[in-house]
Amino acid sequence: MGKNNKTFVEKIPFSKESLVQFRQNYTNDPSEKSRYLLDYPTVYIANDKYRGKYSVYVGETTDIYRRTIEHMEIDNATRDEWNLFNNSDNSSLYIIGNEFFNKSLTLDIENRLMMYLTSIDNVSTIYNRRTNEQGDYYTSEKLETIFSSIWRKLVNDNAELFPIERHIKDKALFKASPFHKLTNEQKRAKELIKEYVIDCLISYDGKNKLILVDGEAGSGKTVLLSSLFYDLFQNFSSQNTISKLSHLDNYLLVNHDEQFHIYLEIAKKLGIVTKRHPKRVSKPTTFINNRSTSELADITLIDEGHLLWTQGKQSYRGQNQLFDIIKRSKVTILVFDKNQILQGNQYWSNEQLANLYSNADRTINLTNQMRINSNKKTVEWIRNLVDYRSISNIPKDDIFELKIFDSPNTLKKAIFEKNKHQENGISRMIATYDWEFSSKSSHEDLWLVKEKDFSMPWNNQLKAKKGESKLSWPERSNTIYEVGSTYTVQGLDLNYAGLIIGPSVKYRNGKIQFDKTKSKNKNATNKRQLGDKKIDNSANFLKNELNVLLTRGVNGLYIYAVDNELQNMLLKAQKGEL
């Protein structure tokens, strides 16, 4: 399409006088720009800046003049955002036209704009909150090119409100956005869940229901849950024809600091978390401690459900967070991956896991690998290493770079080089938890990951740059000089992951072995009291830790192993000598 892609962006002050002048200027103009802005479907962005932050509304229409007059004269009386835009001296309106615009394409462009704007630090509020993802249609193949041409024009006008695309795509907010276009598998899962939720709430009989969403790392669980949470809030937040489905009391819970802050920020921007409803995104313990079993939530969604505690800890005095949440919710939607359980306070026995799956009222399985941008054989190589503790020759892959390095310093150099060129995202160093670290105990020097002449600080020790303290660990620019652990990267993506496999992972007698005596992760290696027995599940926890780390990279995985036998086998696998 390229040169034939005719995209026009017009910016005017948000006022009736400016709108009238805009129409007069183009009514008698024979140019294509006039035609595409006045006669074709358009997308528009109303925005206002206050104290360095923007409030925005994104919409699409077949008649920009009529629709904007409605916002100014009718919606102004009933909706706060239009009153804000009308009465501000800083508000403006972007009108966007393109030769290929039709109803479906403008809806997709609108949806993509909301996804981008929700991810931008300078945007505090998105007023239009509907999701409009479209299926296949006549001009759908032109979406990517047209959107990029639109965004470039917006960047040229206001880079503060519209940063360049690659910076947005690095954002954890972007990756967890509810406005992502779902795969067919995710769409089917969402519709099945919504239909079942509606049936449960309409005919609620006092029995609380559990929907279990099962999927491996990178199978798109977080995007599905984010989209589902947003849809349930949007569809049922105002009066509905079915009274039982209006003004529902819904919550999203996650027991992971990084993910919690990501969801909270998205929910604030979209008006889900407000001063009146500050706890719609919460940690599990907060939800449990602030709600009785006689005061049921309508729907509770749990991301990273494998991180829920199955014993009392800190201010949680119960025995199983999941069961306590189910007791407080009419419908609980649980995202769960047993292969990401990492420590004793999250332990489920095989019998307990079997009971969890068999007792779920509905089970949804996600099977597609969404994170790793590779061919099938590369994914199989990683799964073979983790699931069967076996190493085979590394397959050729023109998409994904899987590479073994001969030293941690050459690995570090490669990751630093990748991170300089961030067109595809952020690259970081990560490692198994095999070096001392504590965020609580006093320690004058930095906790370090050390191997031979290599040394780097563990995660979250270097002071964040100004304005970056609330960002997730990978997003903070100073973390290129740190090594991340599962505690900072679980649930998040990296462009290239530089993994140091520490001494707790070995290769002996033709198999990967896990040595708990070399791990510094006491949460994984301490025995778990279960009834009158103490259970040692450390080998499985360390396997799951490796699983999480091996599946962080989107476009590449670089590996160095401390154990000599493991390192030698990996190098042989790279040379195709196995």
Side-chain angles (χ1 to χ4, degrees), residues 5-12 19 22 26 32-47 56-65 68 92-103 105-114 116-117 143 145-155 157 161-162:
N5 174 21
K6 296 170 182 175
T7 297
F8 301 97
V9 177
E10 184 82 2
K11 179 185 178 183
I12 64 173
L19 185 66
F22 162 78
Y26 286 106
E32 289 182 317
K33 182 176 183 179
S34 170
R35 182 184 177 198
Y36 297 138
L37 292 180
L38 280 182
D39 300 333
Y40 269 51
T42 54
V43 179
Y44 58 96
I45 306 170
N47 68 95
V56 300
Y57 181 100
V58 185
E60 57 81 34
T61 181
T62 56
D63 188 333
I64 187 62
Y65 180 81
T68 309
S92 62
L93 180 71
Y94 289 91
I95 303 167
I96 303 164
N98 184 277
E99 61 177 321
F100 292 103
F101 273 1
N102 53 43
K103 183 68 173 179
L105 185 52
T106 56
L107 286 170
D108 261 348
I109 295 290
E110 177 191 33
N111 204 63
R112 182 71 64 88
L113 284 168
M114 286 191 284
Y116 274 46
L117 289 166
L143 171 63
T145 306
I146 290 174
F147 182 83
S148 289
S149 71
I150 292 170
W151 195 259
R152 282 194 298 271
K153 289 180 180 292
L154 293 171
V155 171
D157 183 80
L161 177 55
F162 307 106

Side-chain angles (χ1 to χ4, degrees), residues 459-493:
N459 38 213
N460 282 331
Q461 295 186 89
L462 302 182
K463 186 177 180 180
K465 289 186 178 179
K466 186 177 180 180
E468 294 186 357
S469 60
K470 293 184 179 180
L471 297 177
S472 67
W473 182 82
E475 290 178 88
R476 299 199 296 273
S477 55
N478 66 302
T479 59
I480 185 62
Y481 303 106
E482 292 183 326
V483 179
S485 69
T486 54
Y487 292 96
T488 46
V489 299
Q490 188 167 21
L492 302 175
D493 293 347

Side-chain angles (χ1 to χ4, degrees), residues 55-57 79-81 84-85 125-129 269:
S55 299
V56 300
Y57 181 100
R79 295 174 60 176
D80 292 342
E81 61 266 34
L84 168 69
F85 295 141
T125 309
I126 308 283
Y127 284 109
N128 178 337
R129 307 183 192 102
K269 288 174 183 279

Side-chain angles (χ1 to χ4, degrees), residues 17 67 73 270 292 315 341 350 358 499:
E17 294 77 18
R67 186 67 181 120
E73 296 183 348
L270 297 175
S292 71
S315 60
I341 297 173
N350 289 335
S358 63
L499 172 59

Side-chain angles (χ1 to χ4, degrees), residues 14 16 65-78 82 86:
F14 192 87
K16 187 173 181 180
Y65 180 81
R66 174 191 57 77
R67 186 67 181 120
T68 309
I69 289 294
E70 287 176 356
H71 287 321
M72 292 178 174
E73 296 183 348
I74 300 174
D75 296 339
N76 180 53
T78 58
W82 299 114
N86 271 319

Side-chain angles (χ1 to χ4, degrees), residues 111-203:
N111 204 63
R112 182 71 64 88
L113 284 168
M114 286 191 284
M115 179 168 68
Y116 274 46
L117 289 166
T118 307
S119 310
I120 295 169
D121 296 336
N122 290 328
V123 174
S124 61
T125 309
I126 308 283
Y127 284 109
N128 178 337
R129 307 183 192 102
R130 60 180 179 173
T131 54
N132 290 310
E133 63 182 71
Q134 301 293 295
D136 197 18
Y137 51 89
Y138 174 58
T139 54
S140 60
E141 77 281 358
K142 303 180 187 296
L143 171 63
E144 298 297 332
T145 306
I146 290 174
F147 182 83
S148 289
S149 71
I150 292 170
W151 195 259
R152 282 194 298 271
K153 289 180 180 292
L154 293 171
V155 171
N156 289 336
D157 183 80
N158 186 350
E160 182 181 55
L161 177 55
F162 307 106
I164 60 177
E165 280 192 83
R166 68 178 177 86
H167 286 170
I168 293 172
K169 290 180 177 180
D170 280 346
K171 297 287 186 183
L173 292 178
F174 175 83
K175 294 169 183 177
S177 171
F179 299 109
H180 276 287
K181 199 162 188 173
L182 303 182
T183 64
N184 288 334
E185 181 181 57
Q186 289 170 319
K187 285 179 186 176
R188 285 194 295 271
K190 187 168 81 166
E191 290 310 309
L192 285 170
I193 293 169
K194 285 171 66 175
E195 288 173 8
Y196 185 66
V197 167
I198 291 169
D199 288 344
C200 289
L201 294 179
I202 290 174
S203 58

Side-chain angles (χ1 to χ4, degrees), residues 224-235:
L224 170 62
L225 193 77
S226 179
S227 178
L228 187 61
F229 180 54
Y230 187 68
D231 272 16
L232 294 172
F233 170 77
Q234 280 299 105
N235 293 346

